[in-house]
Amino acid sequence: MKLKGKSNKLLNKNSKKSFCGELKKVVEASDIVLQVLDARDPLGCRCPQVEQIITQSGGNKKLLLVLNKIDLVPRENLEKWLHYLKNEFPTVAFKSSMQLKDRSMQEKKHPKESARVDLSRGSMCFGRECLLKLLQEYCRSQDKAIQVGVIGFPNVGKSSIINSLKEVRACDVGPVRGITKCMQAIHIDKQIRMLDSPSIIAAPSNSALALALRSTTDIEDSGKLVDAVNAIVKHCSKQQIMLYYNLPDFRNSVEFLTLLAQKRGMLKKGGVPDTESAAKLLLYDWTGAKVSYHSLLPASRNLSPHLTKEVVVEMQQGFNLKDLEKDNMDTIKAVKYPNLASSIIFQSSGLTNGTVEENELAEETLELENIETNEEADDSTEDDQDSNEEEEVVEENIQTSRKTNPAKLNMDESLEEQTAGEQPPTLSFNLDETTDQDDAYDFNTDYV
Ligand SMILES: Nc1nc2c(ncn2[C@@H]2O[C@H](COP(=O)(O)OP(=O)(O)OP(=O)(O)O)[C@@H](O)[C@H]2O)c(=O)[nH]1
C-alpha cells in the first residue's frame, strides 16, 4: 500500500520504530479500529498484542474484524470462519474492489476513460454497504463524527478497503509489502474519517511461516527466500501445490523452486533457473490477489487467551449484530468463490505476535531502498481535504499490557472433522513447537 501526497514527503521514516509509533497514533486516535484479515489465513492475520491495546484502552474504543479477500476462499470455509470469528469480535465479510481510478483520473471524467473501467464481477466490491452501515449507525448512536483506524499485517488489503469505501483510488495498492509509513486520513463522508496505518510489525519470535507471510518488507536474501518458501510449502498439501503450479514431484524447496523457475521461464544467464525470482513469485502469490487457499479452523472453540467474555460483550455494544449477520449473508450470496477441490488446504500457525512497543525493537531499519516510493506523485491532485489531515495525531503514550503469548494451535484433530466431505488430498500435518525450526525439512516425511 502506497500513500500519495505530501504526507510521505514529510514523514518518510523507514525505521520499524517509526512504524510502531504511527500505528499507535492510529489506534489512539480511533473510535473504531478495523483489523483487516486475509480470509485465507484469518488467525494468522490477527495480532493479540494490538487487540489487547485496543480492548484495554478504555474510552469506549471498538474493534471490528474485516475478513477481506473472501473471493479467494471456498464459500463453505468462509462461512465457518465468519461463525468462528463473530464469537470474539463483530466481523464483516468483504471483497475489495480491484480496479479503481485515481482521483486525478476521476476528475477528468473523459467519456472514453469511463468506458475503459472494468465493470466485471472480479473487479467489484462486496461488503461495502454492510461496513458503511455499521460505521454510520455507530456514529448516530454516539451522536458524533468518528475516526476509524485501519490496521493489519502487510498486504491484507488495508488500502484496498479504504479505496473501496471511498470508491476512488486514494491509496496505491500492490503486492509489495510495507510501503505505507505514516498515518493518513481519508474522509468517507462528513461523519466518517478513515485513518490509514503502516502495517503491524511481526515479532521475530514468530514461526517461520508467520514471518514468511507477515514480515513488513519483501524478503531479498536468497537463503531466507528458500526458508520462507519451505515454511509455506510444508504447511500445504504437496499434491495440491504440484497441481496448482503444474509441477512434477519434488524432494525439497530448492528442487521445487528450480522446477517452478524452469516452468515459468525464469532463467539467468546460461539458462540457470532463477530460484530467487521463483521464490518471490510464490510469496507474492501467497499474500497477493490470486491464489486460492484456505485454512482450517482450530480444534478448540475456546475464546482466544487474551480475551474475556466481558471484552467480547463490550466490543459488541453499539452495533446491530442481527443486521450485520443478515448483511454478511447478502455479501456471501453475491460473491463468486473457488470450489473446495481447487483451493489449496493450508495449515495456519495461529495468531501472529506483533511488536508494538518501539523499545522492543533493535536499531534496525527497513530495507525499503528497493521500493519505488510515490513521493513524486503530483501533489496538485491532492488538494482536497484528505491529504492535509494526517498530521492530526494524538501523541499520548498508550499503556500496553502484554500478558499474551498465544500458544500455537494444534489443529490435527479438527483437520479430519473439517475435511470430511471436502475430499482433500491425503496429507498429514505435524505442528509441534519445533516444526518451524527444522530447516532441513524432508517433504517425503510429512506428506503421504
Ligand atoms: N482477490 C483479492 N485481492 C485483493 C483484495 N483486497 C486486496 N487485494 C490484493 O491484495 C494485495 C495487497 O493489497 P493492499 O490493499 O495493497 O494491501 P495493504 O494491506 O494495504 O498492504 P501494505 O501496504 O503492504 O500494508 C493487492 O495486490 C490487492 O490487489 C480482495 O478482496 N480480493
Side-chain angles (χ1 to χ4, degrees):
M1 170 166 68
K2 198 158 58 170
L3 295 178
K4 291 182 163 189
K6 293 171 190 167
S7 56
N8 266 9
K9 275 187 179 170
L10 291 172
L11 299 166
N12 187 8
K13 296 173 186 170
N14 289 348
S15 72
K16 286 184 178 175
K17 287 190 177 185
S18 165
F19 269 46
C20 280
E22 290 296 304
L23 177 68
K24 277 163 65 177
K25 283 177 192 171
V26 169
V27 169
E28 180 65 19
S30 301
D31 300 288
I32 299 180
V33 179
L34 305 181
Q35 185 174 215
V36 183
L37 316 178
D38 185 327
R40 297 172 293 183
D41 180 16
L43 276 195
C45 297
R46 279 182 59 186
C47 175
Q49 288 75 21
V50 174
E51 289 184 4
Q52 260 192 324
I53 290 179
I54 298 161
T55 55
Q56 296 180 359
S57 64
N60 209 21
K61 230 180 257 305
K62 300 291 181 191
L63 175 62
L64 301 179
L65 303 179
V66 180
L67 198 56
N68 189 38
K69 306 196 189 184
I70 58 171
D71 56 312
L72 297 177
V73 297
R75 177 172 171 165
E76 304 85 326
N77 183 256
L78 167 66
E79 286 176 339
K80 283 180 190 164
W81 273 111
L82 274 177
H83 189 69
Y84 177 90
L85 293 168
K86 76 172 186 194
N87 289 328
E88 306 211 334
F89 295 104
T91 306
V92 179
F94 207 90
K95 183 222 169 278
S96 298
S97 180
M98 302 293 280
Q99 292 195 356
L100 286 166
K101 291 180 290 179
D102 282 349
R103 278 183 287 194
S104 52
M105 270 177 72
Q106 202 182 48
E107 278 153 20
K108 286 178 196 157
K109 287 204 172 90
H110 190 287
K112 282 188 184 165
E113 294 283 3
S114 344
R116 268 187 239 128
V117 175
D118 181 1
L119 294 175
S120 67
R121 201 178 177 79
S123 71
M124 282 166 69
C125 169
F126 297 94
R128 179 178 182 273
E129 286 70 28
C130 172
L131 182 53
L132 279 180
K133 186 171 142 192
L134 211 59
L135 300 178
Q136 282 158 353
E137 280 178 358
Y138 188 75
C139 266
R140 280 197 288 276
S141 74
Q142 301 298 300
D143 199 21
K144 63 168 191 175
I146 56 165
Q147 308 212 89
V148 182
V150 183
I151 64 156
F153 286 103
N155 273 24
V156 289
K158 300 181 292 297
S159 297
S160 301
I161 288 172
I162 294 178
N163 289 347
S164 300
L165 293 179
K166 183 82 180 164
E167 292 187 306
V168 151
R169 195 175 159 118
C171 311
D172 278 352
V173 165
V176 174
R177 302 184 193 191
I179 295 178
T180 309
K181 297 171 199 138
C182 54
M183 169 163 130
Q184 183 185 359
I186 308 278
H187 277 270
I188 300 300
D189 57 33
K190 282 187 183 154
Q191 297 297 309
I192 301 173
R193 198 163 80 133
M194 309 298 293
L195 301 177
D196 201 355
S197 67
S199 60
I200 301 169
I201 307 274
S205 57
N206 281 300
S207 67
L209 177 65
L211 293 174
L213 294 175
R214 313 283 163 230
S215 290
T216 317
T217 44
D218 285 343
I219 302 167
E220 295 296 332
D221 176 84
S222 59
K224 286 183 183 162
L225 277 169
V226 174
D227 290 347
V229 169
N230 190 42
I232 291 172
V233 174
K234 76 181 182 186
H235 286 85
C236 294
S237 147
K238 186 186 186 189
Q239 288 89 345
Q240 285 186 308
I241 292 267
M242 284 160 52
L243 208 63
Y244 180 82
Y245 287 102
N246 196 11
L247 297 176
D249 199 0
F250 51 89
R251 282 169 300 176
N252 54 42
S253 300
V254 175
E255 200 170 301
F256 166 67
L257 290 171
T258 306
L259 289 166
L260 184 60
Q262 282 166 341
K263 185 90 190 170
R264 298 290 170 101
M266 295 170 153
L267 303 174
K268 294 199 256 194
K269 266 190 186 164
V272 179
D274 185 352
T275 51
E276 281 182 29
S277 295
K280 286 178 188 173
L281 173 94
L282 184 116
L283 289 173
Y284 280 148
D285 276 353
W286 243 248
T287 56
K290 238 175 87 188
V291 178
S292 170
Y293 61 91
H294 65 281
S295 44
L296 305 170
L297 283 89
S300 154
R301 303 292 156 107
N302 295 337
L303 217 51
S304 298
H306 62 291
L307 299 177
T308 61
K309 279 184 187 162
E310 291 71 33
V311 165
V312 172
V313 171
E314 198 187 321
M315 291 298 127
Q316 292 173 340
Q317 279 161 7
F319 299 109
N320 185 333
L321 299 179
K322 279 205 172 134
D323 271 12
L324 172 59
E325 196 151 333
K326 192 182 146 299
D327 293 343
N328 272 338
M329 272 315 294
D330 291 343
T331 304
I332 290 172
K333 281 185 204 150
V335 175
K336 192 169 182 296
Y337 302 94
N339 66 43
L340 207 49
S342 66
S343 177
I344 299 170
I345 300 173
F346 172 78
Q347 188 73 60
S348 171
S349 53
L351 305 176
T352 300
N353 287 318
T355 302
V356 283
E357 292 298 336
E358 292 97 318
N359 57 17
E360 289 171 17
L361 287 163
E363 278 297 335
E364 55 185 319
T365 53
L366 293 170
E367 292 165 7
L368 294 174
E369 295 83 18
N370 58 331
I371 297 171
E372 184 195 332
T373 62
N374 200 30
E375 290 173 2
E376 286 78 37
D378 181 4
D379 284 354
S380 64
T381 64
E382 307 292 324
D383 56 0
D384 63 12
Q385 203 175 1
D386 303 345
S387 58
N388 293 320
E389 294 194 332
E390 66 275 14
E391 294 85 6
E392 291 176 29
V393 155
V394 182
E395 293 287 355
E396 283 171 32
N397 286 330
I398 301 169
Q399 290 297 318
T400 311
S401 164
R402 180 174 283 281
K403 295 174 206 150
T404 316
N405 188 10
K408 285 168 101 181
L409 297 160
N410 184 343
M411 305 192 192
D412 288 350
E413 282 171 29
S414 62
L415 184 67
E416 222 173 292
E417 177 198 323
Q418 292 175 60
T419 54
E422 293 189 11
Q423 296 181 327
T426 321
L427 76 168
S428 103
F429 293 110
N430 177 16
L431 271 195
D432 61 26
E433 286 295 332
T434 57
T435 307
D436 286 317
Q437 322 300 324
D438 181 11
D439 290 342
Y441 179 76
D442 178 2
F443 289 96
N444 295 319
T445 310
D446 281 85
Y447 293 95
V448 183

